[in-house]
Amino acid sequence: MIKRKCARRNTSRTPSAGVFLVVALAVATICLGSGASAQQEDNAGLADAVDRPAELPQGALESEDDEAGPTFSLADRVAQLMIATLSGRNGPNAEDQELLKEYHPGGVVVPPGLAPKAAVDYVIKLHALSDERVSGLPLLVGTRPHGPLDPTPGAPNAPPPFPSLLSVAAANNSATTQRFAEVTASYLSALGYNLHLGPSLALAPELEGAAGSIHCLGSSPEFIADAGATILSVLKEEGILSAPMDFPGGSWNHHDNERAVLLTPRPYLAEKDLAPWRRVIEVGAPLIHVGNVLAPTIDVRSQPASLSDAVITDLLRNELGYEGVILAGPMDSRDILQQYNPVEAAMVALSAGADMIYWEQPGRHAARTIDRIVQAVSENKLSEAIIDAAFERVRRMKGKAGLLERPLPTEDAAPKAMENKEYGQAMLDTARKSLTLVHNQGGVLPLTRKDSSPVFITGTTDVDPLIDALAKPLKHASGIEMATAKHFGEVQEFEARRITTLAAGSRTVVCVLTPMRRHAGEVTLIEELKKAHHNVVVVLFGYPAHLSELAKADAVLLTYAEGGLDTANTRAIVDVLTGESPARVLQPVRPLRLEAGKSARFDMTAVVCCPGGMLPVNLEDPFTFGYSVSYDPSASVTHVAWDFGDGKRVKASQVEHAYEQPGEYSITLAVTDCLGQESSAVFKVEVR
């Protein structure tokens, strides 16, 4: 049980002083030896991290109004700096309740993956337990909908009602991003969340062999900046605070059980990793999360970014000019615990300029840290001015957001949210637009009844939904799941031989591959099927880190889902496999140059890509950012319109056109696909 001995909040009014006085900071060195476990006693380097006083922006301790507010005890001010992940699965358990009643943390994170009704019930109980109406300090109730699900056995892990961030990046379409943001905001608002942890703004990994994650927005700083700003702005309109994650970047640059490292040289940071952060700062990010990545190009001491004044104060506060709340951590992650005592690390993070501390694992770290910081301040080992500055930023942020005025979710909010057809349609549209064809040897795709059947379907997940969906357009479709793959974490050689035997007589074999620990067996399966003279189509789920190894297949189609054929991605995959895919008009990279009076041929098939997704990450050549291949778009495109900018308009896939006079013109090509969705591009023309 949590034990706490500290003063309760004093809610008596004090005479107004107009504004708080700005206090000069004098950070004393933290005594790192006390309170640390035997495993974590050696915290060399942490003491050096707090030698410099943390700098406060001008007016950091000023009140936003002229009226004096309630006076808060030191313990209550410290507690407001903590965001703790709760441990109760279906509602706050006894430990969670005691934390809320006795410590009143600034925010809590509800376990991920809850079904909507369970989430609503959880949020209602949390607000009932807090004393936010008395204190005037609303409780942040957060979740991370675009992050990994909880791997703990028995975790709820209901699938989220929206696609992955990498799917949004693969669609690479501002309208898709906007819709994705609106669906996210509407869903979180209906469930009563007021804090969104995300999205991650770290670029996809550049480190060779890194596993990568579908929970990133790809490799393009420009796209990540635009998408991050869109998501943040839409959430803000719904009254939800968004905390973009993983400053300063590099969070995906790691191999298994190794530390993540930001590799970008300092001169290139501004145009690469820092570009998304500048953008979200411009649009008013209320919080920014600083992760535990090592950033040797920024901090020569190679401390975790969450503990580094070079990262938090020098870079984020001073160089980028960020004035909002900085959330550091998690302080209980494996990479921190291996080297530091989490309580002491939290104090170093505050001294380095952080305002709030994020605790990722359920447990007592938050409560212990509150007590330890109160003790450190009382013993003059940590400046109270640091606590005051952070507390004022947090209080101002909550007040500005008007969180206390937000109504609580109602019990019928969850069923209404699930019945909202917009969620399912948005997920389906994004899945369709993100599917990326990166290999199509011999035009194996699209599949047709004449050229592809019979079709055998296998995979490392349940493939029955795909078999049922393909049976109608292709007539002959059968198959079986490779159930042993889940158990072994790879496709075994005996399984590859068994599938090859079962697929005998089929012209085409579709292999649905979900993330596995090892991939050699997948390559063996493809080789065995090719030896048996099958056309092999791979549908690859997840982050495509090992894409080049699968290029022995005749066709490779990427879908950026977690794994498993749910309704949305099954429909999307069937559409693309059978030629009814979204179309994307490729954007020009340079003007066309033509001669006046000379006819030129314009062909829709040369600039329209079907399917419309593009590779959102950089892998081995030729699989680099923006890469995709197309099958013949004629079957997918139902309407074509050319506007040549000289008064001539034509509705045809192919057209001959000549410009009579020299000059500069703009050609607009708009196509409508079989799904009723339009894509267009404008081509600049220089006529001499």
Side-chain angles (χ1 to χ4, degrees):
M1 298 294 287
I2 298 172
K3 300 297 182 181
R4 180 194 186 202
K5 294 181 180 179
C6 57
R8 295 289 296 150
R9 180 179 294 119
N10 180 359
T11 58
S12 61
R13 293 277 180 172
T14 58
S16 174
V19 296
F20 290 98
L21 295 177
V22 178
V23 182
L25 296 180
V27 182
T29 302
I30 299 174
C31 295
L32 297 175
S34 60
S37 65
Q39 178 185 359
Q40 299 157 335
E41 285 180 354
D42 184 10
N43 287 320
L46 283 183
D48 294 337
V50 295
D51 283 344
R52 290 197 312 163
E55 297 179 14
L56 295 179
Q58 187 174 0
L61 298 183
E62 294 178 359
S63 173
E64 284 198 334
D65 51 50
D66 293 331
E67 294 184 10
T71 300
F72 299 93
S73 72
L74 174 61
D76 290 320
R77 281 175 279 152
V78 172
Q80 281 295 303
L81 312 186
M82 303 295 150
I83 294 184
T85 298
L86 301 179
S87 55
R89 292 295 181 191
N90 299 310
N93 60 19
E95 185 175 79
D96 298 334
Q97 293 180 38
E98 192 163 355
L99 175 68
L100 286 162
K101 291 179 179 179
E102 296 300 319
Y103 285 86
H104 309 292
V108 293
V109 178
V110 174
L114 292 174
K117 186 178 186 308
V120 168
D121 292 342
Y122 209 128
V123 171
I124 291 173
K125 291 174 182 176
L126 290 174
H127 285 291
L129 286 168
S130 72
D131 68 344
E132 57 189 1
R133 299 293 172 182
V134 176
S135 67
L137 295 172
L139 178 69
L140 296 175
V141 181
T143 186
R144 192 174 184 182
H146 309 133
L149 295 177
D150 190 346
T152 307
N157 283 345
F162 12 71
S164 70
L165 290 175
L166 202 58
S167 293
V168 177
N172 198 27
N173 178 285
S174 59
T176 300
T177 305
Q178 177 75 21
R179 192 176 188 187
F180 171 83
E182 291 171 351
V183 166
T184 300
S186 176
Y187 186 82
L188 295 181
S189 179
L191 270 55
Y193 293 109
N194 57 28
L195 173 64
H196 170 269
L197 295 175
S200 172
L201 300 186
L203 276 64
E206 298 177 344
L207 188 65
E208 184 177 353
S213 172
I214 61 171
H215 306 299
C216 74
L217 283 164
S219 295
S220 168
E222 295 80 7
F223 177 81
I224 297 172
D226 290 343
T230 297
I231 293 170
L232 189 149
S233 299
V234 172
L235 287 167
K236 185 177 180 180
E237 292 175 2
E238 281 285 345
I240 299 172
L241 297 172
S242 187
M245 303 290 283
D246 300 323
F247 183 87
S251 298
W252 311 112
N253 279 331
H254 66 90
H255 299 122
D256 291 343
N257 302 318
E258 293 183 3
R259 298 292 299 275
V261 182
L262 178 62
L263 301 173
T264 308
R266 190 67 172 87
Y268 301 104
L269 273 174
E271 64 187 54
K272 289 191 64 179
D273 300 82
L274 296 183
W277 299 103
R278 291 185 184 276
R279 185 69 182 281
V280 296
I281 289 172
E282 289 173 0
V283 300
L287 297 92
I288 283 180
H289 166 257
V290 178
N292 297 330
V293 65
L294 301 179
T297 62
I298 302 172
D299 187 342
V300 295
R301 295 169 294 183
S302 291
Q303 298 180 105
S306 59
L307 308 181
S308 170
D309 53 1
V311 172
I312 296 175
T313 298
D314 295 346
L315 179 58
L316 183 52
R317 282 278 185 233
N318 296 338
E319 184 174 332
L320 298 185
Y322 182 61
E323 297 180 354
V325 171
I326 296 175
L327 173 65
M331 291 300 157
D332 52 359
S333 66
R334 180 175 53 83
D335 46 6
I336 291 289
L337 296 176
Q338 285 179 340
Q339 190 172 357
Y340 308 114
N341 176 284
V343 176
E344 307 294 350
M347 288 194 281
V348 173
L350 293 172
S351 298
D355 301 303
M356 300 189 83
I357 302 299
Y358 173 39
W359 303 99
E360 174 179 61
Q361 302 297 329
R364 301 173 183 156
H365 287 308
R368 289 171 178 168
T369 301
I370 295 168
D371 290 337
R372 182 73 176 85
I373 290 177
V374 170
Q375 179 184 355
V377 172
S378 301
E379 296 173 354
N380 294 321
K381 295 176 180 176
L382 182 66
S383 171
E384 189 170 355
I386 292 174
I387 306 302
D388 290 341
F391 173 73
E392 284 304 315
R393 285 196 194 95
V394 172
R395 184 164 74 158
R396 276 205 312 273
M397 175 190 69
K398 291 182 173 183
K400 186 176 181 180
L403 300 183
L404 284 178
E405 286 72 47
R406 288 194 65 192
L408 293 177
T410 58
E411 292 186 356
D412 63 348
K416 286 182 179 178
M418 291 305 293
E419 292 167 6
N420 190 335
K421 295 181 180 179
E422 181 69 14
Y423 298 146
Q425 190 60 46
M427 189 168 185
L428 176 59
D429 288 347
T430 304
R432 279 173 170 157
K433 292 178 180 178
S434 67
L435 285 171
T436 308
L437 186 61
V438 293
H439 188 54
N440 193 28
Q441 186 71 27
V444 169
L445 292 182
L447 302 177
T448 64
R449 184 178 296 186
K450 176 183 177 181
D451 298 326
S452 309
S453 291
V455 176
F456 186 86
I457 303 156
T458 188
T460 56
T461 186
D462 179 15
V463 293
D464 285 345
L466 193 57
I467 295 171
D468 294 341
L470 285 173
K472 183 176 181 180
L474 301 180
K475 191 175 182 179
H476 300 292
S478 61
I480 191 170
E481 176 187 359
M482 293 180 284
T484 59
K486 293 180 181 179
H487 176 74
F488 290 106
E490 64 179 333
V491 177
Q492 298 287 298
E493 287 190 20
F494 78 85
E495 189 73 275
R497 292 192 297 269
R498 184 175 77 96
I499 293 299
T500 303
T501 300
L502 292 173
S506 298
R507 183 179 298 181
T508 306
V509 178
V510 177
C511 301
V512 180
L513 303 179
T514 52
M516 295 277 112
R517 290 194 296 271
R518 292 174 294 274
H519 306 291
E522 298 171 353
V523 177
T524 300
L525 173 65
I526 294 170
E527 292 174 342
E528 291 295 322
L529 291 169
K530 290 299 296 177
K531 287 178 184 177
H533 307 292
H534 298 288
N535 291 328
V536 180
V537 177
V538 167
V539 178
L540 180 61
F541 276 69
Y543 191 90
H546 63 297
L547 175 57
S548 61
E549 301 174 38
L550 304 178
K552 293 182 179 181
D554 296 286
V556 180
L557 181 67
L558 305 182
T559 178
Y560 309 93
E562 192 80 53
L565 289 160
D566 61 25
T567 302
N569 57 45
T570 298
R571 287 183 60 186
I573 290 168
V574 169
D575 287 345
V576 170
L577 289 179
T578 57
E580 297 184 353
S581 77
R584 172 170 58 95
V585 181
L586 302 177
Q587 299 299 315
V589 295
R590 62 183 66 88
L592 299 173
R593 291 181 172 84
L594 303 176
E595 293 183 24
K598 187 174 182 179
S599 181
R601 184 179 180 84
F602 296 87
D603 188 346
M604 173 271 294
T605 63
V607 291
V608 173
C609 189
C610 287
M614 52 170 270
L615 189 62
V617 297
N618 278 315
L619 303 171
E620 298 179 31
D621 286 336
F623 304 120
T624 55
F625 175 81
Y627 182 83
S628 67
V629 299
S630 175
Y631 49 59
D632 185 353
S634 300
S636 296
V637 174
T638 59
H639 184 269
V640 182
W642 298 89
D643 184 339
F644 289 95
D646 61 353
K648 184 173 181 180
R649 295 178 176 84
V650 180
K651 295 181 179 180
S653 296
Q654 299 175 346
V655 61
E656 298 275 346
H657 182 69
Y659 287 94
E660 299 299 328
Q661 300 295 328
E664 294 184 354
Y665 299 87
S666 294
I667 301 176
T668 301
L669 170 63
V671 301
T672 303
D673 58 40
C674 55
L675 304 172
Q677 297 172 339
E678 183 177 292
S679 178
S680 63
V682 177
F683 301 84
K684 298 295 183 182
V685 182
E686 297 174 357
V687 180
R688 299 176 181 177

